[in-house]
Amino acid sequence: MKRLFYAVALVIAVAASAFKPVAGIDWKIAGGYSVKFTAGEAAGIFKELKGTISFDENNLNASKFNVTIPVASINTGNAMMNKHAKGTDWFDAGKYPNITFTSSKIVKAGAGYQAQGTLEMHGVKKAITLPFTFKKAGNGGVFAGTFTVNRTEFKIGEAGGDVSNDIKLEVSVPVTK
């Protein structure tokens, strides 16, 4: 009976060791990141970005982004515009303090990648695909992407007017292991 028990235990141990946990490479967001936006006459940056990035070029199934931009970090270079952008007519930073993106899938696309997931702004969640590239350098690398979102789909401001409905975002995020 002991032999049978040990034989079964050995088979279970060997079978279990064949299944390695699937994990991406965890990256830390380094200083020097850039989140720029332009929308017609309005332009600026978000000064803060935080979150977790797990990305492995050889194992995209284990890769995941979960990033947050605090709305209060908006900077247009004009104090009055900043206050207006954070106010209830636009982003309403008091009620909706963060912009978040959480990926559900990352795929190879041409010379780069696409992160499919959910973007949440102003209390509205939308499925979105964000194109990006990754350039590895030593113990780090840089994620970069350019994409457009329609602010009215997220109920930010009124349609039309001086500010374009389409907001172009240019993101560059240096990372380290």
Side-chain angles (χ1 to χ4, degrees):
M1 187 69 161
K2 273 187 173 180
R3 281 187 166 170
L4 179 61
F5 173 76
Y6 289 124
V8 170
L10 180 61
V11 168
I12 291 171
V14 169
S17 69
F19 298 100
K20 295 180 182 175
V22 178
I25 298 170
D26 291 331
W27 298 93
K28 293 179 183 155
I29 298 172
Y33 54 80
S34 171
V35 181
K36 298 178 184 178
F37 65 88
T38 55
E41 298 288 322
I45 63 169
F46 286 96
K47 295 169 84 175
E48 292 181 45
L49 173 71
K50 54 189 172 185
T52 57
I53 297 173
S54 184
F55 180 77
D56 183 347
E57 294 171 288
N58 299 313
N59 188 0
L60 295 177
N61 288 333
S63 299
K64 185 162 180 69
F65 297 153
N66 188 353
V67 293
T68 299
I69 298 171
V71 170
S73 74
I74 196 169
N75 185 347
T76 64
N78 178 308
M80 290 297 289
M81 287 178 96
N82 294 346
K83 184 177 178 183
H84 189 66
K86 295 174 196 177
T88 57
D89 289 342
W90 289 88
F91 282 99
D92 197 355
K95 188 172 182 180
Y96 308 106
N98 296 308
I99 298 168
T100 60
F101 176 74
T102 304
S103 67
S104 56
K105 182 178 183 180
I106 296 176
V107 297
K108 182 79 173 132
Y113 304 90
Q114 291 181 338
Q116 300 167 1
T118 303
L119 178 63
E120 181 176 0
M121 285 194 295
H122 203 251
V124 177
K125 294 180 181 182
K126 289 192 62 68
I128 190 168
T129 298
L130 305 179
F132 70 94
T133 59
F134 178 68
K135 293 186 181 172
K136 194 171 180 181
N139 252 2
V142 177
F143 291 93
T146 301
F147 57 96
T148 302
V149 295
N150 184 316
R151 66 179 175 81
T152 61
E153 292 177 357
F154 292 92
K155 300 179 184 173
I156 297 172
E158 295 293 325
D162 293 338
V163 178
S164 172
N165 292 341
D166 290 330
I167 300 173
K168 179 181 176 184
L169 291 132
E170 295 178 50
V171 181
S172 177
V173 182
V175 293
T176 59
K177 287 185 183 179

